[in-house]
Amino acid sequence: MHLFRSHNYQVFPDRYSVETTTIRGISWTPLPEALNSKDTLKQFLSDRVVKAARSVYSVMIERNPGLIRDRKYHLKTYRQCCSGKELVEWLMKQNECLQSRSQAVGMWQVLVDEGILVHVKHELNFHDKDTQFYRFQDSEFGLNHVTNEKDSEDELQEGLSLLSQLGPDALLTMILRKCPSQRSAEDLEVIYEEMLHVKAAAHLSTSVRKELAAVLVFESHPKAGTVLFSQGDKGTSWYIIWKGSVNVITHGKGLVTTLHEGEDFGQLALLNDAPRAATIILREDNCHFLRVDKQDFIRILKDVEANTVRLEEHGKTVLVLEKSADSREQGGAGNNSKYTVMSGTPEKLLEHLLETVKLDSNGNDAIEPCVNDFLLTHKVFMPSSQLCPALQHHYQAELSEGSDQEKAAYVLNTKQKVVKLIAQWVALYGLLLKEDPIALDFLERLKREVAGDLRLCSILKEQFRDRRRTKVLENGYQSLSRNQFDWFSNCEEAVGRLQPIRAQDKVLYEIYRPDNKHLTLMLPVNTSVQDVMSSIVKPGGDHVLVKMNSAGERAQLKLDATAVYTAMGLNERLFICTSSQVEHLTPLKEQQGPERGTTDILEQMGSKDIASELTNYDWELFTAMHEAELVYYIFGRHKFPGVITANLERFVRRFNEVQYWVVTELCLCEDLVKRAILLKKFIKIAAVLKEQKNLNSFFAVMFGLSNSAVQRLYKTWERIPSKTKRIYCAYERLMDPSRNHRAYRLTVAKLSPPYIPFMPLLLKDMTFIHEGNPNYVEKLVNFEKMRMIAKTVKIVRGCRSQAYVPSSPQRGLADRMFLEVPATRISTYSDHALPLRSPSNIRHYIQNLKVIDNQRKLTQLSRTTEC
């Protein structure tokens, strides 16, 4: 059975309004009627779990029958059972990919939750202990079945793969069911990591999340319509919805709102010590909640206040610090190692962070992470026009009291710290600072001052000489050389085939008139709409610049919008017309996409060759993007004069392009046999992309295959081999959006760099942080928010921390997965088709995809292809 689950993921940045950038995430389309209920989905998953249990049980009986035997404990005999410890050890031997015993515990917990594996005393949690015994319900679930050796091994690996995917979720639920006092340090860390992605906890500090992890209580209710509490009841707990949804009802108004997974309720009554203001009723069956009882809630609030230090100047708070849970907490050094910066004025934040900069004899001490967080996000709260004078002030600071020797030492020490911080600033932003006239002027002036300070120059050169053979980016000072001082000496242009787009680069603007004739202009990337129009029409007229997509949706651009050409979506075009002509504009024929597919070309190219070129091109796009663009994009590019996000937008547009390429090709392929072969090819391409750790294109291909226009091609899916369908179903699990895409996050956690992340989800995470936390708290910069934003940005840095090496032509995991039988392959390629397989031709094809992005048209084509 194939589970047809159709969904689409597209990033729609609202690039031209003054509103905050928004991202619309996953849009789910209904399943076919036969699979249109949650009960059917649950049954499908349960059937797969039973099948996995059957394969595991059969192999266990065949290879290690002695695991199931009578056992004695405390003078009592337990018939035909296994010990928890032996089950864990057996599973780890079968699956070498398991990195810890807790992973194996989670996998067995899946079978316990399904009732396939039962504790002899009917306990709900699986225990990795010699004295805890379990029985397989073999007769009830039909676990005894005979298969040949080859099939049993294949089924075992498939079953273990499914259990390993479901295991982390089962393990987490098991931990949450434990009494809080029985949770281990490892348990608390698992809960804390999960809290990072819960909407209701987005605004909470790290220390509060850690305290919550220790007191959260798991609560579940099986039936919809259950009243959790009623209006007027005494407030006893705060609730976070872990699974399901609830209705909020008040007297006189009825249904006020519906709350869903990740949202919370009940906090107000605890804060105000007041009766419940509404009635909460379960909206669906099987709802799970995380509960914090009142006494724990109040204690945590008191702990936060007790551990908070507020520094005041002239009667006003200028810096707020919070005592960290442990000394390893990021945010401080030296005397401040136990405190984390929570908020402050921009000037005080800079002063405090300069104090954390440590200097040793050769300057090799790493810059504190909180300094990087400040530098990555400073433009949000402290633009260059404010930061540069503040740095200049600190550079020139003097000690008012003390001996001459003490004053000289203080001045030298402060200058070294300022130089080290600025060097790190240059290391982070590189040549982008040359596009900031205020920053560039400041750096030139300070360079002359540093060069004129002989003592400081001597120290810096000595430090550089001690470590000239190593390149340590995070330590700063990378700008020193033997002969001269230059901030940008190590900042080089990218050496790849694809160069980053710069603000002053000129691009060819194609702008269409209502009669579909177009004009071409060479203008800088960051040209404003006003300047574009001034180049075409005389000022003072009634003309407007409009962007329009293939579906005919129009948007009039504001005069102060910039870089609109590089920010356009798939098949969008710019039109110049009068206000009265806007409603009469129609899409160009070229915007509708191709009329014929490229199946004949694709069948001449190998799946691995296509996937490799996709990854090579994606890597170039990914590395051309500066991490600062993520910050500008989320907070709104219009708030940062002179900056562009063209490289990020180009990479995001690529995701949408690959997704619609898959749908376009399948819907334009009229021959059923060829279409089935093409569908299988795309699934194999997805497998290779995952193997190459290109998660961005992997998800693009998978979302394309999950598009409703593709999922309805039942005749095509029927021709796909069952093994290929199973692989597709396993990959579908990674797209599951529940628990904030937990399946994907667990997969990524196991990867080592280099890899290409799922960029739309990364942007969604940053938007989640941005919208859930204010920029300022009590008129102070919310530095906790800046830290969370910077942490997400650093994921991109981590992905690119190792050089990408193109994959080798050797057979990989994907090849083995799709190897049906060891048959000899007979080539069907004609001589004239061989050039299509050359890397240059495949690369040219991959970089020039032609797609239909109009969902209505794709659906019509799908219906025409298969009525």
Side-chain angles (χ1 to χ4, degrees):
M1 176 182 176
H2 172 62
L3 175 61
F4 294 97
R5 186 172 64 186
S6 175
H7 44 275
N8 171 275
Y9 207 136
Q10 203 172 357
V11 177
F12 297 93
D14 185 6
R15 292 174 279 258
Y16 313 120
S17 71
V18 295
E19 303 294 329
T20 304
T21 300
T22 58
I23 294 177
R24 283 176 267 156
I26 293 182
S27 172
W28 295 88
T29 55
L31 298 167
E33 290 183 8
L35 295 171
N36 199 27
S37 71
K38 290 186 177 180
D39 290 338
T40 307
L41 291 172
K42 183 178 179 181
Q43 184 59 47
F44 176 80
L45 192 56
S46 293
D47 290 345
R48 291 180 66 198
V49 172
V50 171
K51 184 179 178 182
R54 192 175 291 134
S55 62
V56 169
Y57 181 78
S58 298
V59 172
M60 181 183 291
I61 290 296
E62 179 186 343
R63 299 178 185 176
N64 304 89
L67 283 178
I68 302 175
R69 62 180 187 273
D70 294 347
R71 297 173 187 269
K72 286 187 177 181
Y73 183 66
H74 282 183
L75 304 179
K76 189 172 181 179
T77 301
Y78 298 93
R79 301 292 180 186
Q80 295 301 292
C81 57
C82 317
S83 79
K85 184 178 180 181
E86 288 180 353
L87 284 175
V88 169
E89 290 174 348
W90 181 85
L91 198 57
M92 294 191 73
K93 288 179 182 177
Q94 308 307 312
N95 191 344
E96 297 177 355
C97 296
L98 292 179
Q99 298 172 342
S100 66
R101 297 181 72 88
S102 63
Q103 285 180 273
V105 169
M107 293 168 71
W108 286 122
Q109 184 65 44
V110 173
L111 301 189
V112 172
D113 290 343
E114 287 290 331
I116 299 170
L117 186 67
V118 178
H119 190 274
V120 293
K121 294 183 178 179
H122 300 283
E123 292 184 11
L124 295 176
N125 289 353
F126 183 88
H127 299 282
D128 181 11
K129 294 182 179 178
D130 261 333
T131 55
Q132 300 292 327
F133 305 130
Y134 299 86
R135 292 193 186 99
F136 285 92
Q137 302 299 295
D138 51 330
S139 58
E140 183 177 343
F141 288 92
L143 300 185
N144 285 300
H145 79 303
V146 180
T147 57
N148 63 57
E149 186 174 344
K150 182 179 183 302
D151 288 344
S152 67
E153 182 60 33
D154 288 344
E155 289 179 4
L156 174 65
Q157 294 308 316
E158 183 184 334
L160 293 179
S161 175
L162 174 66
L163 294 178
S164 66
Q165 290 174 11
L166 300 176
D169 218 31
L171 179 65
L172 177 64
T173 305
M174 183 188 80
I175 290 171
L176 289 169
R177 278 201 299 249
K178 288 183 182 179
C179 176
S181 61
Q182 295 177 346
R183 291 173 188 157
S184 64
E186 185 179 357
D187 292 342
L188 295 180
E189 188 61 30
V190 171
I191 299 174
Y192 167 74
E193 287 294 329
E194 197 65 27
M195 292 293 290
L196 294 175
H197 307 294
V198 174
K199 183 179 180 181
H203 65 288
L204 301 176
S205 67
T206 300
S207 59
V208 171
R209 286 199 195 99
K210 288 190 174 181
E211 289 206 54
L212 283 177
V215 300
L216 284 170
V217 178
F218 181 79
E219 183 176 318
S220 64
H221 298 275
K223 294 296 182 182
T226 302
V227 177
L228 203 60
F229 56 73
S230 298
Q231 187 172 345
D233 289 352
K234 184 179 179 181
T236 58
S237 302
W238 171 44
Y239 291 88
I240 297 173
I241 303 173
W242 188 244
K243 178 184 176 184
S245 58
V246 300
N247 286 330
V248 182
I249 297 171
T250 61
H251 299 328
K253 293 184 179 179
L255 179 62
V256 176
T257 187
T258 298
L259 300 176
H260 300 272
E261 182 181 295
E263 297 182 297
D264 68 305
F265 55 89
Q267 191 175 144
L268 192 62
L270 303 188
L271 288 171
N272 300 332
D273 197 22
R276 296 294 192 188
T279 297
I280 301 295
I281 300 177
L282 268 61
R283 185 169 171 265
E284 55 188 281
D285 291 342
N286 197 26
C287 288
H288 298 173
F289 302 93
L290 302 181
R291 191 185 79 229
V292 181
D293 293 330
K294 185 175 182 178
Q295 59 185 27
D296 293 319
F297 184 85
I298 300 301
R299 178 183 57 77
I300 290 172
L301 287 181
K302 289 180 177 178
D303 285 349
V304 170
E305 193 58 37
N307 292 324
T308 299
V309 176
R310 299 176 184 273
L311 304 182
E312 295 188 356
E313 289 181 358
H314 308 296
K316 293 183 179 180
T317 301
V318 293
L319 189 67
V320 178
L321 306 173
E322 186 180 288
K323 193 171 184 178
S324 303
D326 55 62
S327 59
R328 294 172 298 175
E329 190 72 23
Q330 294 182 1
N335 295 331
N336 298 312
S337 60
K338 294 184 179 180
Y339 286 86
T340 302
V341 180
M342 302 304 294
S343 60
T345 63
E347 294 78 9
K348 201 65 183 178
L349 287 172
L350 177 60
E351 180 185 324
H352 175 78
L353 294 174
L354 275 171
E355 290 174 4
T356 70
V357 175
K358 293 185 290 185
L359 302 170
D360 65 4
S361 58
N362 63 3
N364 267 334
D365 271 3
I367 288 283
E368 287 293 325
C370 60
V371 177
N372 269 322
D373 299 342
F374 175 92
L375 294 173
L376 271 174
T377 59
H378 79 86
K379 287 199 173 187
V380 176
F381 55 86
M382 197 177 194
S384 301
S385 58
Q386 191 178 350
L387 176 63
C388 294
L391 288 169
Q392 184 72 44
H393 170 76
H394 284 291
Y395 184 82
Q396 296 173 341
E398 296 181 355
L399 198 62
S400 57
E401 299 179 355
S403 65
D404 291 344
Q405 186 176 357
E406 289 173 334
K407 289 180 180 179
Y410 172 82
V411 168
L412 184 62
N413 186 270
T414 302
K415 286 183 176 180
Q416 282 184 262
K417 288 186 174 185
V418 172
V419 169
K420 188 169 185 178
L421 186 142
I422 292 173
Q424 181 63 12
W425 185 35
V426 175
L428 283 174
Y429 286 86
L431 298 177
L432 287 184
L433 288 180
K434 286 193 172 184
E435 298 175 6
D436 183 341
I438 295 175
L440 186 59
D441 179 64
F442 164 70
L443 291 171
E444 288 298 319
R445 283 188 287 107
L446 194 64
K447 182 174 77 170
R448 290 192 293 270
E449 291 188 36
V450 172
D453 190 325
L454 297 180
R455 189 178 177 192
L456 177 61
C457 250
S458 175
I459 291 173
L460 297 180
K461 287 181 179 179
E462 185 64 32
Q463 290 173 350
F464 178 75
R465 189 177 298 114
D466 289 343
R467 62 181 190 283
R468 60 183 177 272
R469 293 182 182 178
T470 61
K471 294 181 179 180
V472 187
L473 179 66
E474 63 270 22
N475 287 344
Y477 293 140
Q478 77 290 353
S479 52
L480 297 170
S481 65
R482 291 188 181 186
N483 302 317
Q484 61 180 353
F485 183 86
D486 180 14
W487 299 112
F488 298 100
S489 62
N490 274 17
C491 296
E492 300 175 355
E493 287 282 2
V495 294
R497 299 184 191 181
L498 195 71
Q499 292 297 311
I501 301 170
R502 302 292 184 197
Q504 293 304 315
D505 288 350
K506 288 192 174 183
V507 292
L508 185 67
Y509 279 68
E510 288 187 347
I511 302 172
Y512 292 83
R513 296 185 184 278
D515 61 2
N516 290 350
K517 292 181 179 179
H518 71 275
L519 305 167
T520 56
L521 301 169
M522 283 295 290
L523 296 171
V525 170
N526 63 348
T527 300
S528 68
V529 170
Q530 176 76 68
D531 291 338
V532 172
M533 292 179 62
S534 298
S535 303
I536 304 172
V537 295
K538 294 180 180 179
D542 186 31
H543 286 83
V544 292
L545 194 64
V546 177
K547 66 163 185 171
M548 182 167 60
N549 64 16
S550 60
E553 296 170 343
R554 313 169 192 89
Q556 184 175 325
L557 304 180
K558 297 183 177 180
L559 293 177
D560 59 351
T562 60
V564 294
Y565 197 78
T566 53
M568 286 198 300
L570 287 178
N571 294 336
E572 283 187 341
R573 298 293 185 271
L574 292 178
F575 290 81
I576 185 85
C577 63
T578 61
S579 298
S580 60
Q581 293 174 316
V582 172
E583 294 302 317
H584 302 290
L585 292 175
T586 56
L588 306 170
K589 184 179 179 181
E590 66 183 62
Q591 287 182 262
Q592 301 302 317
E595 296 181 354
R596 298 185 50 148
T598 58
T599 304
D600 292 341
I601 295 175
L602 284 171
E603 67 183 8
Q604 311 300 329
M605 301 176 180
S607 301
K608 188 165 185 177
D609 295 332
I610 294 172
S612 295
E613 288 302 333
L614 280 167
T615 298
N616 292 341
Y617 187 47
D618 283 358
W619 189 255
E620 290 179 15
L621 292 169
F622 183 46
T623 52
M625 175 191 78
H626 196 285
E627 56 194 40
E629 291 185 52
L630 290 161
V631 178
Y632 305 150
Y633 188 92
I634 295 302
F635 283 88
R637 175 166 48 82
H638 61 277
K639 296 179 181 178
F640 308 98
V643 308
I644 62 169
T645 53
N647 299 291
L648 172 58
E649 287 162 338
R650 179 171 60 177
F651 187 51
V652 167
R653 187 166 56 247
R654 178 62 176 178
F655 175 88
N656 295 334
E657 186 176 56
V658 172
Q659 177 184 178
Y660 280 111
W661 165 60
V662 173
V663 187
T664 299
E665 292 299 333
L666 287 167
C667 289
L668 287 177
C669 184
E670 297 177 354
D671 185 274
L672 176 60
V673 175
K674 288 187 175 182
R675 191 165 60 250
I677 294 172
L678 185 59
L679 177 57
K680 181 183 176 183
K681 192 184 200 83
F682 278 128
I683 295 173
K684 183 172 181 180
I685 288 171
V688 179
L689 289 168
K690 182 175 180 290
E691 185 178 308
Q692 293 175 342
K693 298 189 286 189
N694 181 357
L695 299 181
N696 201 61
S697 278
F698 165 76
F699 274 93
V701 172
M702 286 299 295
F703 276 110
L705 293 172
S706 300
N707 188 286
S708 57
V710 174
Q711 289 287 286
R712 65 167 306 283
L713 300 173
Y714 302 114
K715 294 177 183 177
T716 308
W717 283 99
E718 286 173 358
R719 287 178 169 266
I720 300 300
S722 58
K723 187 172 184 179
T724 303
K725 285 182 184 177
R726 290 198 298 269
I727 292 168
Y728 175 76
C729 285
Y731 289 162
E732 257 202 330
R733 172 72 182 164
L734 294 179
M735 301 194 304
D736 184 358
S738 64
R739 305 278 172 84
N740 199 11
H741 297 268
R742 192 163 187 272
Y744 164 78
R745 297 182 195 282
L746 290 169
T747 299
V748 169
K750 300 173 186 176
L751 296 181
S752 57
Y755 68 91
I756 304 176
F758 181 20
M759 186 55 67
L761 185 56
L762 202 63
L763 294 174
K764 181 171 174 278
D765 285 346
M766 293 185 71
T767 303
F768 177 76
I769 294 168
H770 174 51
E771 294 181 350
N773 299 272
N775 290 347
Y776 294 89
V777 178
E778 298 176 351
K779 298 182 179 180
L780 300 175
V781 176
N782 184 357
F783 197 68
E784 178 73 1
K785 173 181 179 175
M786 303 307 154
R787 182 185 288 102
M788 290 190 286
I789 289 286
K791 182 179 180 181
T792 310
V793 172
K794 288 174 186 175
I795 292 174
V796 171
R797 188 185 306 170
C799 294
R800 305 189 298 198
S801 61
Q802 300 291 327
Y804 167 69
V805 179
S807 59
S808 68
Q810 296 177 352
R811 174 170 291 168
L813 177 62
D815 296 290
R816 298 195 297 274
M817 289 164 61
F818 284 85
L819 188 62
E820 301 292 340
V821 290
T824 303
R825 182 176 177 179
I826 302 174
S827 175
T828 57
Y829 299 128
S830 59
D831 291 338
H832 74 272
L834 290 176
L836 292 173
R837 305 191 69 200
S838 70
S840 60
N841 284 334
I842 297 175
R843 180 179 177 85
H844 180 268
Y845 175 84
I846 289 302
Q847 292 186 16
N848 296 276
L849 301 177
K850 305 298 181 185
V851 305
I852 300 170
D853 67 333
N854 185 332
Q855 186 62 42
R856 180 176 296 179
K857 182 176 180 180
L858 289 168
T859 302
Q860 290 172 347
L861 284 170
S862 175
R863 287 172 178 164
T864 302
T865 303
E866 287 190 21
C867 300

